[in-house]
Amino acid sequence: MFSKEEIAQRIAKEIKDGYYVNLGIGIPTLVANYIPKGINVVLQSENGLLGMGPFPFEGEEDADLINAGKQTITTLPGSSIFDSAMSFGMIRAQKVDLTILGAMEVSENGDIANWKIPGKMVKGMGGAMDLVASAKNIIVAMQHINKAGESKLLPKCTLPLTGVKCIKKIVTELAVLDVLPEGGFKLLERAPGVSIEFIQQSTAGKLIVEGEIPEMRLD
C-alpha cells in the first residue's frame, strides 16, 4: 500500500505545465514537495497566496507564512500575497486549473463529503464548498479504507455532502480510479503488490475493472 507521501507523489504526475493548482488540507498539501522538474506550476493557497513552494526545512520556518491548513510554507520567486476575498474571487471565476482535495467519503456518482462528522466539533467548512462548486477539475487524495477497515468509496455518501457529482479522479493508498459520468469507479492503476481482488473487497461502491490493470509508478 502507498503511504500518504506516495499518494501525493502520484497525484503530482497529474499536474501539467502552466497549471494553477489549489491544494486542500491534509494529504494534498504534500503535493507541493513533488512538483515534477521542468514544468512551471503556480500553487494557490486559498488564504491568499500564489506561488507556494515546498514545506520549509526544520529551523527555517516563518510562523507568519502559512497555508490554509495553518502549516508553515515557503514562497517561490514572483509569489504574491493578498486577502482571502481576492483568493476566492480567483476560485469562483474558475481561474484555478486543478483542485486537489482530501475526503472522508466519495460516492460512485462523484459526490464528496470532506468537512463534517456529525457530533464532532468542526471549525467550519472553510473553502471546500467554493472549490467543489467552481473547480473545473478535482482530484481527491484520500485513504481507501478507514481505521475500522470500512470502505470510504461508497454507493452513496453517509456524511454531510460538500459537493455533488464533482469528483473526476481519486488516488488512494490502493489505487488510482476515475469517477465515470454515468457512475462508478473505474480502476486505472493499483498500488504495487495490491491485488485487484483486495481493491474490490475494499470498494463498497460500483467498481469497474477492464483489461490488465498496471501498477502505479512514481518515476
Side-chain angles (χ1 to χ4, degrees), residues 59 64-65 67-68 88 93 98 105 112 124 131 135 153 177 188 203:
D64 291 325
L65 196 58
N67 61 19
F88 279 93
L98 173 63
E105 295 176 347
I112 180 174
L131 287 164
L153 277 62
L177 311 104
L188 302 180
T203 308

Side-chain angles (χ1 to χ4, degrees), residues 22-59:
N22 179 283
L23 302 180
I25 295 170
I27 298 175
T29 61
L30 299 173
V31 174
N33 292 333
Y34 300 106
I35 302 299
K37 293 181 179 179
I39 67 172
N40 180 29
V41 173
V42 180
L43 299 181
Q44 192 237 24
S45 183
E46 66 201 51
N47 56 320
L49 172 65
L50 277 178
M52 183 167 56
F55 286 115
F57 292 109
E58 186 174 355

Side-chain angles (χ1 to χ4, degrees), residues 112-158:
I112 180 174
N114 77 341
W115 76 281
K116 183 177 182 179
I117 298 176
K120 291 191 176 183
M121 183 178 293
V122 61
K123 293 180 180 179
M125 187 174 287
M129 185 166 282
D130 284 272
L131 287 164
V132 299
S134 305
K136 295 176 286 186
N137 186 15
I138 303 173
I139 298 177
V140 165
M142 67 184 293
Q143 299 293 324
H144 208 107
I145 51 180
N146 63 24
K147 293 179 181 178
E150 300 166 332
S151 178
K152 297 169 69 174
L153 277 62
L154 307 172
K156 185 177 180 180
C157 292
T158 62

